[in-house]
Amino acid sequence: MEGGFTGGDEYQKHFLPRDYLATYYSFDGSPSPEAEILKFNLECLHKTFGPGGLQGDTLIDIGSGPTIYQVLAACESFRDITLSDFTDRNREELEKWLKKEPGAYDWTPVVKFACELEGNSGRWEEKEEKLRAAVKRVLKCDVHLGNPLAPAVLPPADCVLTLLAMECACCSLDAYRTALCNLASLLKPCGHLVTTVTLQISSYMVGKCEFSCVALEKEEVEQAVLDAGFDIEQLLQNPQSYSVTNAASSGVCFIVARKKPRP
């Protein structure tokens, strides 16, 4: 990583989805920090969107990357899901899986684990089809825009989801705070933000390429969420750190927050 923070151009040129998936989402049963964090996220998402949890019509996932695990629980309680990412390659990878094209990434072990959390690991094929049916569109996003999905304009959503993305897209705490306000604009009053943030990391590896992050403290994330117009309903921290990030990381933070109603 040379010349400062890696921005959108570097992601478009150098972020390879298959390298990213091989590093962070190889869910083959062998223990690893990456697998433990994935399990943590899946468990948190199951509790958030499972029976008695959040539900509604529309959900927007911001910064999906090339992954679908983050909406496996939500597809049971939201009928209209939007996936989004900044880079063309990541959106193409998502479309491959959604359209069951040859060479699409195999999410089967992850889907089975999500179904196991729901009490029926045998319905994994049904779960995949339910998710494919719920995802209505894959859009370009840029969290630095007042409308992160521009030029697309969607009705205000019931839920915005963003996992492990904002800290990679924002070069400073101020940029992160502004981006959260941009995400809030996508929500209905009383809609929910669900997010996971990696804490205190300044970079991460994808293949041989290093990408920047803004190093955030848990308290900074909390305050940014509150200042963006939310009430925090749940906050969980997992001290597990990724193996391919800098050693200063203090784990990941999972937050569920409700947008305040209009005065």
Side-chain angles (χ1 to χ4, degrees):
M1 185 176 65
E2 297 176 2
F5 196 89
T6 47
D9 288 346
E10 286 85 357
Y11 271 88
Q12 190 74 285
K13 291 175 187 173
H14 303 301
F15 189 96
L16 300 180
R18 286 308 175 104
D19 285 350
Y20 176 73
L21 292 168
T23 301
Y24 297 96
Y25 296 98
S26 294
F27 202 65
D28 57 6
S30 56
S32 71
E34 286 68 36
E36 290 308 307
I37 293 173
L38 177 54
K39 285 181 184 177
F40 170 75
N41 279 322
L42 289 167
E43 288 163 356
C44 289
L45 292 165
H46 168 64
K47 290 172 186 171
T48 300
F49 295 110
L54 301 185
Q55 57 183 317
D57 289 325
T58 54
L59 179 146
I60 299 170
D61 182 39
I62 295 289
S64 306
T67 70
I68 55 90
Y69 77 93
Q70 66 276 14
V71 284
L72 287 168
C75 75
E76 301 293 336
S77 45
F78 290 82
R79 62 171 184 80
D80 182 309
I81 293 176
T82 299
L83 301 181
S84 68
D85 198 75
F86 184 82
T87 79
D88 298 341
R89 286 193 190 100
N90 281 342
R91 296 195 306 277
E92 288 163 6
E93 193 71 41
L94 291 170
E95 294 281 11
K96 269 188 197 175
W97 186 85
L98 291 167
K99 295 173 181 175
K100 298 202 265 191
E101 292 179 359
Y105 189 73
D106 183 10
W107 286 101
T108 305
V110 176
V111 180
K112 285 182 175 177
F113 182 82
C115 290
E116 192 178 304
L117 292 173
E118 294 172 7
N120 188 358
S121 59
R123 70 176 288 263
W124 65 272
E125 290 175 297
E126 180 189 336
K127 165 74 85 174
E128 288 192 344
E129 291 313 305
K130 188 160 191 175
L131 176 54
R132 288 186 173 103
V135 174
K136 306 302 185 188
R137 62 200 70 79
V138 178
L139 300 177
K140 183 178 176 68
C141 72
D142 183 344
V143 298
H144 303 298
L145 301 177
N147 168 18
L149 298 175
V153 178
L154 298 184
D158 296 299
C159 184
V160 165
L161 181 68
T162 181
L163 268 64
L164 308 171
M166 297 283 280
E167 64 273 34
C168 308
C170 299
C171 65
S172 66
L173 176 58
D174 282 346
Y176 175 72
R177 290 169 60 85
T178 300
L180 275 179
C181 293
N182 295 339
L183 295 197
S185 73
L186 298 173
L187 279 169
K188 296 176 181 176
C190 301
H192 282 83
L193 171 72
V194 179
T195 185
T196 300
V197 179
T198 313
L199 300 172
Q200 293 180 309
I201 65 163
S202 57
S203 67
Y204 69 107
M205 300 300 297
V206 176
K208 295 180 179 178
C209 294
E210 188 177 6
F211 291 89
S212 311
C213 297
V214 58
L216 297 169
E217 303 277 356
K218 177 171 73 73
E219 294 75 18
E220 291 174 328
V221 174
E222 284 183 79
Q223 194 59 53
V225 171
L226 294 171
D227 291 346
F230 292 93
D231 292 317
I232 294 175
E233 296 185 341
Q234 184 179 28
L235 188 152
L236 297 170
Q237 187 173 355
N238 184 330
Q240 180 71 65
S241 298
Y242 287 106
S243 62
V244 287
T245 55
N246 62 311
S249 172
S250 60
V252 296
C253 181
F254 178 85
I255 292 176
V256 178
R258 179 174 175 266
K259 185 177 177 179
K260 292 178 180 176
R262 290 193 184 99

